Amino acid sequence: MEPTFRQIRYFIAAANAGQLSKAAMEINVSQSVITTAIKSLEEMVGTPLFDRHSGGVRLTYEGNLFLDHARHIVESVEEAIRSPRRIRDDIRGTINLAMSYTVAGYFLPSYLARFARAFPQVQINLSETDRANIEEGLVTGRFDLAVMLTSNLVNHEELSHDVLIRNRRRLWVNAHHKFLTRPSVSLQDIATEPYIMLTVDEASNTAQRYWNRTPYRPNVTFRTSSVEAVRSMVANGMGICILSDLVSRPWSLEGRRVERLDVTETIPTMDVGLVWAHARTQSPATRAFVEFMQLAISVNDHQASVHSSLD
């Protein structure tokens, strides 16, 4: 037996939603259809892809690996269907593209590879740097375009931007944390626990802004610029942290589970998007990249975005 494209899409829907009933509602099919599709996939793979629990389902280690491949399959098929062969030899040139650290590590590489296949005559010169340098480089013309955390953007007078994705921020805890048994978790609750503070891409500044709206403060026991260090420390029970879904992975490098919980207060999203100087005219190559990213993200949002929607 071989998996069907429909089964793979149903699997992704269930993985994103965390509940079969919710997944069924989101893609307008019956819950039994999704249940049957997942059961067939598990029989083909030869191992459970989900752990069932009272609140829904969550991926097993093997399920998480399968999800990565499944998303690539859907991505490739959607691109093949929706792209009227945008390989255009007439679009050529160079793009000086800047990116922030989080974007470079967790968002952009797969899109760059796909753009290179679609536009082989366009050369992209990449630069990874911080927000201040990106903003200055765009204004002076050192960079043609940037992909960065637009929620951190300061220079709105000279720069335009287009948000591609908005990432929820949620609480990370280890697999045995006491918060997992509670119906809700607030910033007041979080303030009583050891807190691992991420500092890269101004994450600590963002955290300070939403904490400052409350009388509480995180009990920061360690600061790090490494997302993997945060993941490992949380997984090993050394602390908790609020981070975006973009950098979330359910397993640490040691193979320990990291769980995510919603926080009762409104936590601002981490937005990723395109930024350019509105006083400068975009070249055809730059415009092609902008349009490519907008189309690619719209396809992904339709099937499986970092906000857990599919179809």
Side-chain angles (χ1 to χ4, degrees), residues 252-263:
S252 71
L253 294 177
E254 307 92 343
R256 294 181 180 273
R257 182 87 186 182
V258 176
E259 302 288 354
R260 290 176 295 170
L261 296 171
D262 291 326
V263 180

Side-chain angles (χ1 to χ4, degrees), residues 5 8 11-12 65-75:
F5 184 68
I8 290 173
F11 166 78
I12 295 174
L65 296 177
F66 189 87
L67 177 63
D68 187 53
H69 292 294
R71 282 177 170 160
H72 282 302
I73 290 170
V74 174
E75 225 174 54

Side-chain angles (χ1 to χ4, degrees), residues 15-73:
N16 286 336
Q19 292 180 331
L20 299 187
S21 58
K22 183 179 178 181
M25 290 177 59
E26 288 179 349
I27 60 176
N28 197 29
V29 299
S30 68
Q31 182 174 335
S32 62
V33 169
I34 292 187
T35 301
T36 301
I38 291 173
K39 182 179 179 181
S40 297
L41 284 175
E42 289 178 329
E43 290 174 353
M44 282 181 262
V45 174
T47 187
L49 298 175
F50 290 101
D51 285 327
R52 279 72 172 173
H53 58 88
S54 58
V57 295
R58 63 185 178 193
L59 290 168
T60 62
Y61 180 75
E62 293 81 4
N64 187 65
L65 296 177
F66 189 87
L67 177 63
D68 187 53
H69 292 294
R71 282 177 170 160
H72 282 302
I73 290 170

